[in-house]
């Protein structure tokens, strides 16, 4: 059950990352005006916080996977090893 659950989680996180990343790239390709629009009256455009959001999202899902792997997956791997070595 462990490899299937871990693999399924990995695929879900990969799909989420692809949607976010390619969504950003498609926004750049097809609607540059959204990213070029200034926030308020300043010089910062929407492209900066959205791009930063993509980076933060990547860090968050990586952190989530590492925390899962270091807690649940490692514990389950050890249990499987102990059972196999009996």
């Amino acid at each position: 059950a462990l490899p299937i659950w871990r693999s399924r989680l990995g695929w879900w996180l990969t799909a989420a990352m692809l949607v976010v990343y390619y969504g950003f790239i498609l926004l750049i390709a097809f609607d540059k005006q959204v990213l070029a629009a200034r926030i308020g009256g300043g010089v910062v455009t929407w492209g900066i916080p959205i791009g930063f959001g993509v980076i933060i999202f990547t860090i968050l899902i990586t952190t989530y996977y590492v925390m899962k792997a270091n807690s649940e997956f490692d514990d389950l791997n050890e249990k499987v090893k102990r059972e196999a070595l009996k």
Side-chain angles (χ1 to χ4, degrees):
L2 171 65
I4 293 170
W5 195 78
R6 181 173 46 188
S7 179
R8 193 173 295 159
L9 176 63
W11 281 111
W12 274 107
L13 294 176
T14 299
M17 187 63 236
L18 288 173
V19 166
V20 169
Y21 177 75
Y22 283 108
F24 181 65
I25 297 301
L26 289 171
L27 189 60
I28 292 169
F30 295 111
D31 200 358
K32 292 178 185 151
Q33 303 310 323
V34 170
L35 298 175
R38 294 177 189 256
I39 298 174
V43 295
V44 177
T45 64
W46 279 106
I48 293 171
I50 292 173
F52 188 66
V54 171
I55 294 168
I56 295 299
F57 180 76
T58 304
I59 292 168
L60 289 175
I61 65 170
T62 301
T63 302
Y64 175 74
Y65 184 82
V66 168
M67 288 172 55
K68 278 284 204 195
N70 287 341
S71 61
E72 292 179 35
F73 297 155
D74 285 350
D75 293 343
L76 289 172
N77 278 336
E78 285 303 315
K79 287 179 186 176
V80 169
K81 284 181 193 176
R82 277 187 256 128
E83 288 295 319
L85 294 174
K86 282 186 176 179

